[in-house]
Amino acid sequence: MKTSGKRFVFYLALSVSALTFLVYLPALRNGFLTWDDDVYVTNNWHIRSISPGFLKWAFAHFYASNWHPLTWISHAVDYALWGLNPMGHHFTSIVLHAANTFLVVLLCARLLEVRERNGYGHRTLIAAGVTGLLFGLHPLHVESVAWVAERKDVLCAFFFLLSIGAYMSYASDRINKSYRLHATYFLSLFFFILALLSKPMAVSLPAVLLILNWYPFGRIRSLRSVARPLGELVPFMILSLGASAVTFFAQSADGAVISVVVVPVATRVLVAARSLFLYLWKMIYPSDISPFYSYPEHVSLFAPKYLLAVVSFAGICALCVILARKNQKMPAAAWAYYLITLLPVIGLVQVASQSMADRYTYLPSLGPFLLAGIAAGRTPDLLKGMMKRDAAARAFTVAASVCLIAALCVLSLKQIGVWRDSIVLWNTVIRREPYLLPFAYNNRGQAYKERGQLELALQDYSVAIDLDPSSFVTYVNRGMTFGAMGQFGPAIEDYSSAIALKPFKAKPYLERGIVYAETGRLDLAMQDFDKAIAIEPTYADAYTSRGLTLQKNGEPARAIDDFDRAISLNPSSIDAYLDRGVAFERLGRFEQAISDYSRAIKLNPYDYLAYENRGIVFARMGRTDQAIGDYSKALSLKPDFTGAFLDRGDTYKKIGNKELAEQDYRRACDLGSKEGCESLRRFGRH
C-alpha cells in the first residue's frame, strides 16, 4: 500500500462526505415534528441541564420505550448549544451523517484492498466512491438524518463504523502474525459500547465482525478455525445479549412490543420476508418512499407477493452457498451482513404498528450498496472491452456517474422537503393511505393545535376517533383543544372517555382537574389532581396544578409544598417557579419570590409574565428602578401588555414622574383598558 494511494482514498472520502453535507443543508430549514421530537427534545425537560442528576436519569431510567443514554446526552449537548432552535439540532445530525459517509468510503476501500490484495487500484476507488455516494445521498436515508428524534440512528452508526474500522486493523494485524496492535481490539470494543449506548440496533455487530473474519480476512476457513475469532468476540456477544435484554424490557414495560396474540409469529415471518425485498427494491428504485408503512391486514403464504418473497429468500441463500463453495464469497458476505443487521428491526419481535421503516436501512443498506459499488468498479473495464475504445468507456462511465449523483441529489432533496414540518409530513402519510392511520390524523391535529388552528385540529382529532374509538391519546388531545377554545363541557367529556379507556393513566385526570379548576369546581379539581398523583407519584405537572388550586383556595403555604415537590421532580418547570413566586409574594416573602421569578426568567428569558411579576415585587419593596426595568422588559416582549403599562404608570406616579405616568396610562387606555382610562381621568383631575 503506497502512501499516495491512502492519501487519494482520504480525499475521495472527504469529497463524497462534503457533497453529502451540502445536499443535506436544506434540512436546516426543517422544524421539530409532532412525532417523537416533542418526547425527545421539545417537551423533554431532562435534557435541559447537563448535571449529575441528568446523567443518572439517562443511564438509570427507561424513557420513550428506550434505553440509549448516549443519545440523550447528544440531545442535551444540542440543547445547551442551541436551545430549542431546530436548526442546530438538524446541523448536528447532518454533520454525523457526513462523518458516517466519510467512514463508509474509508472502510469500503480498506475492505476491498484486503480482498484484491493489490493496493488501491481504480476498481477499488470507484467501488468505494460509489458505495459512499449511495450511502450518503440515497433518499432512503433521509428519514434517519432529517428527523431529529432519529439522532440515535446516525450516532449509533458513527460508533458502529468506528468499531468495525478498529477491528479491521486488529484482524489485519493478526493475519500478518503480529501481536502489536492489541489496543485496536479494545478500541473496537469501546466503540461498540458507545454504539450500544446510542441505539440497541448495534447488537448485530459481533455477527458482522464474524462475517469479516470469514471474508475478506479469511481467518475462518473451517469449523475448526472458527474457535479463535469466536473466542475473541465473546465480550462483544455478552454486551450484545445484555443490550438486547434491556431493550426488550424497556419496550415491553411501555407497551411498545405487540403481543403474539395480536400478530402471530407466522404472519411476522411472512411480512419480514417481504420487507427484505421491498427494502432492496427501494434501494434500486426509490419510489413510493413514505414516513410510515402500515402493517398489512391480510397476510397469507399463498398470496403471490409473500410466496415469492419466501421462495426468493431461499433461492438467494442457496445461490450464496453455491458461490461461496466456488470461492466467490463477496455476495454471501454482503447478503449475510444485510440480513444480520436488519434482524433486530425486521419485525420478528414486532414493535409498534409499522411493517417497515426507511430508517431501518441506514446500516443494512451498506451490503447491497457495496455490491453495487463493486459492479460499478468493473464497469469501465467491461465497457472498454465492448467499445474497443478506452476514451469512450471513460466518457460513458463519467456520464453515468454524473446522472447517478444528480438523480440521488434530486430525490434526497425532495424527501428532505417531506420532513420540513409536521403538516407536510402528515399530509404525505394521509395522502398515501387515507383513512387507514388514525394516529396520522391525531399527529396532524397536534400540529394544527400548535399553530393555533384549533378548528382544523378538532376536525382531525374527530376523524381519528371515528377511525379508532379506542384512541386514548386522541381523546386527551381533543379535550385539551376544547379546553383551549373555552368549550369546557366537551373537554370534560373527552377526558372522562379517556379515563374510561385507561383508568390507570394520570394524564386525563390532570387535564380534567385543570378544567374543573378553571370553572371554579375546586373540590372536583383537587380530587382529580390527587388521583393523578396517586397513579404517578413523580408527575411534576400534577403537583404544580394542585398547588395552583390550593393557592386559588387561599392556602399559599400548602401550595408551596406542592410547588417544592414539582421543582424537585422537574427543576426546569417554569410554571412551578412562577406559581411558587406568587405564593411567596402573598406570604410577604419577597426575596424568595424574586428568586423564583429570576429562576423562571433564566429558564425562559422571553417570558414577559415573569418580568411583570418580579417588577411588582420590586415595586412593593420600594426598589422602583428595578421595577421599572422589569416592566419595560415585559413591554418589549409584549408591546400590548396593558397590565405592565398600568403598573409602570403607577410606579412613575409614585416617584413623581407625572409625564411618564400619564403616557403609560394613555397607552393602556388606547389599548382598551378601562382601568387605564379611569387612571388617566383621575390623573387629569389632579
Side-chain angles (χ1 to χ4, degrees):
M1 288 176 286
K2 296 181 179 179
T3 304
S4 59
K6 289 184 177 180
R7 187 180 297 117
F8 193 87
V9 170
F10 175 83
Y11 288 128
L12 174 66
L14 194 63
S15 300
V16 175
S17 175
L19 177 60
T20 299
F21 179 80
L22 291 174
V23 169
Y24 272 89
L25 281 179
L28 295 177
R29 297 195 297 263
N30 291 9
F32 291 118
L33 303 171
T34 57
W35 192 16
D36 288 353
D37 282 357
D38 53 344
V39 177
Y40 277 69
V41 179
T42 56
N43 294 335
N44 184 3
W45 63 266
H46 298 284
I47 68 169
R48 298 191 179 184
S49 65
I50 301 176
S51 62
F54 160 72
L55 294 174
K56 179 182 177 183
W57 168 82
F59 280 90
H61 290 82
F62 299 142
Y63 185 76
S65 301
N66 280 297
W67 183 81
H68 39 48
L70 197 57
T71 294
W72 296 130
I73 291 171
S74 80
H75 285 303
V77 170
D78 267 357
Y79 184 83
L81 292 173
W82 314 105
L84 290 179
N85 182 350
M87 180 181 290
H89 296 259
H90 285 297
F91 179 77
T92 302
S93 294
I94 294 170
V95 168
L96 282 168
H97 180 55
N100 291 341
T101 304
F102 178 83
L103 291 173
V104 163
V105 177
L106 294 183
L107 290 177
C108 288
R110 177 72 179 112
L111 278 171
L112 294 171
E113 188 270 339
V114 171
R115 171 177 174 266
E116 300 291 342
R117 303 188 188 281
N118 63 349
Y120 295 109
H122 72 278
R123 285 186 178 184
T124 295
L125 295 173
I126 292 173
V130 170
T131 305
L133 286 169
L134 288 170
F135 179 86
L137 301 178
H138 201 286
L140 273 182
H141 289 178
V142 168
E143 181 173 306
S144 295
V145 186
W147 184 12
V148 171
E150 276 308 306
R151 165 70 53 74
K152 52 184 178 284
D153 261 7
V154 289
L155 188 64
C156 172
F158 179 68
F159 294 114
F160 190 97
L161 295 170
L162 285 175
S163 182
I164 290 177
Y167 189 85
M168 285 169 60
S169 296
Y170 168 76
S172 177
D173 199 55
R174 299 285 283 185
I175 293 171
N176 297 326
K177 308 300 182 183
S178 171
Y179 296 89
R180 293 176 299 167
L181 294 179
H182 281 295
T184 53
Y185 171 85
F186 293 105
L187 189 61
S188 176
L189 187 62
F190 173 69
F191 286 137
F192 176 51
I193 292 170
L194 295 182
L196 289 174
L197 293 176
S198 302
K199 186 179 182 180
M201 191 172 175
V203 294
S204 60
L205 183 63
V208 170
L209 298 182
L210 206 59
I211 293 170
L212 292 176
N213 275 296
W214 177 67
Y215 185 85
F217 290 111
R219 297 179 67 207
I220 299 176
R221 299 179 183 275
S222 64
L223 287 177
R224 184 175 298 178
S225 63
V226 78
R228 182 177 291 275
L230 194 61
E232 293 171 356
L233 294 174
V234 166
F236 289 83
M237 290 185 283
I238 291 172
L239 289 169
S240 182
L241 289 171
S244 299
V246 169
T247 301
F248 184 80
F249 182 75
Q251 300 205 327
S252 298
D254 202 40
V257 177
I258 296 176
S259 169
V260 176
V261 175
V262 178
V263 183
V265 173
T267 298
R268 299 183 191 193
V269 170
L270 291 176
V271 172
R274 184 165 184 263
S275 297
L276 283 174
F277 293 98
L278 284 176
Y279 285 136
L280 289 174
W281 175 245
K282 289 180 185 295
M283 291 177 202
I284 297 168
Y285 184 67
S287 66
D288 197 28
I289 292 176
S290 174
F292 192 89
Y293 304 93
S294 60
Y295 210 83
E297 293 184 359
H298 306 291
V299 179
S300 170
L301 177 61
F302 301 105
K305 58 185 177 182
Y306 295 108
L307 181 60
L308 180 62
V310 172
V311 172
S312 298
F313 175 79
I316 291 176
C317 289
L319 179 62
C320 286
V321 170
I322 293 170
L323 291 174
R325 287 178 176 175
K326 294 181 178 181
N327 208 31
Q328 297 180 38
K329 298 179 179 179
M330 174 56 83
W335 178 245
Y337 169 86
Y338 175 65
L339 294 179
I340 285 168
T341 51
L342 260 180
L343 189 61
V345 290
I346 197 62
L348 296 179
V349 177
Q350 183 61 27
V351 176
S353 57
Q354 75 270 24
S355 61
M356 52 191 285
D358 296 345
R359 60 187 178 275
Y360 294 162
T361 68
Y362 192 73
L363 280 170
S365 62
L366 275 176
F369 287 166
L370 180 57
L371 291 179
I374 291 171
R378 293 180 176 179
T379 300
D381 292 337
L382 292 173
L383 290 174
K384 182 179 177 180
M386 294 170 60
M387 296 180 175
K388 307 299 183 183
R389 293 177 60 190
D390 191 26
R394 288 180 180 176
F396 182 86
T397 303
V398 170
S401 300
V402 170
C403 290
L404 170 67
I405 293 170
L408 289 174
C409 289
V410 169
L411 290 171
S412 287
L413 287 169
K414 180 182 177 181
Q415 196 63 19
I416 288 169
V418 170
W419 295 86
R420 186 177 66 218
D421 60 49
S422 297
I423 302 297
V424 175
L425 175 73
W426 297 116
N427 281 344
T428 302
V429 173
I430 290 169
R431 187 164 51 247
R432 186 176 183 272
E433 297 185 84
Y435 303 109
L436 290 178
L437 300 173
F439 90 100
Y441 288 95
N442 173 72
N443 288 0
R444 191 173 68 176
Q446 285 182 274
Y448 281 134
K449 183 174 181 290
E450 288 178 3
R451 287 188 178 187
Q453 298 173 282
L454 302 184
E455 290 291 348
L456 290 175
L458 280 180
Q459 290 176 23
D460 271 354
Y461 291 141
S462 297
V463 171
I465 289 171
D466 288 342
L467 293 172
D468 181 12
S470 65
S471 178
F472 163 84
V473 171
T474 310
Y475 277 113
V476 174
N477 289 338
R478 192 172 70 172
M480 293 173 69
T481 306
F482 276 131
M485 298 173 71
Q487 299 182 36
F488 298 125
I492 289 173
E493 289 179 12
D494 273 351
Y495 295 139
S496 299
S497 296
I499 289 168
L501 288 168
K502 294 189 178 181
F504 299 109
K505 289 286 187 179
K507 179 72 171 176
Y509 289 103
L510 169 64
E511 298 299 337
R512 190 174 68 177
I514 291 172
V515 173
Y516 281 142
E518 188 75 18
T519 54
R521 290 176 278 183
L522 301 186
D523 289 344
L524 291 175
M526 289 296 294
Q527 290 177 22
D528 273 354
F529 296 144
D530 290 343
K531 182 66 174 179
I533 290 169
I535 293 171
E536 191 175 336
T538 59
Y539 200 174
D541 288 347
Y543 287 101
T544 301
S545 296
R546 189 172 70 177
L548 186 59
T549 303
L550 288 168
Q551 193 157 268
K552 286 181 178 179
N553 206 33
E555 301 179 75
R558 286 185 62 197
I560 288 173
D561 291 337
D562 271 349
F563 297 141
D564 289 343
R565 178 62 174 154
I567 290 168
S568 69
L569 292 167
N570 179 5
S572 299
S573 175
I574 296 171
D575 288 340
Y577 283 110
L578 284 173
D579 293 334
R580 191 173 69 174
V582 172
F584 281 138
E585 182 183 349
R586 290 183 179 179
L587 292 171
R589 296 156 65 175
F590 296 144
E591 290 292 349
Q592 289 170 292
I594 288 174
S595 176
D596 273 356
Y597 293 143
S598 298
R599 178 62 178 168
I601 289 168
K602 185 177 180 180
L603 289 168
N604 181 11
Y606 305 101
D607 190 337
Y608 65 92
L609 283 175
Y611 288 102
E612 165 72 2
N613 287 357
R614 192 173 68 175
I616 291 171
V617 179
F618 278 139
R620 293 185 65 181
M621 297 175 72
R623 295 157 65 173
T624 53
D625 289 344
Q626 290 169 292
I628 290 170
D630 273 353
Y631 296 142
S632 299
K633 180 64 177 179
L635 287 167
S636 70
L637 295 169
K638 185 174 175 59
D640 61 347
F641 188 11
T642 58
F645 279 121
L646 290 170
D647 290 330
R648 191 173 67 175
D650 289 342
T651 306
Y652 279 135
K653 181 179 177 182
K654 184 177 180 180
I655 62 175
N657 195 330
K658 297 181 179 180
E659 182 180 351
L660 292 178
E662 184 177 0
Q663 289 179 13
D664 276 351
Y665 292 146
R666 189 174 302 280
R667 289 177 187 174
C669 182
D670 291 342
L671 287 168
S673 168
K674 293 180 180 180
E675 188 176 354
C677 296
E678 181 60 31
S679 296
L680 190 62
R681 283 193 295 272
R682 288 200 306 268
F683 196 88
R685 288 198 295 270
H686 288 290

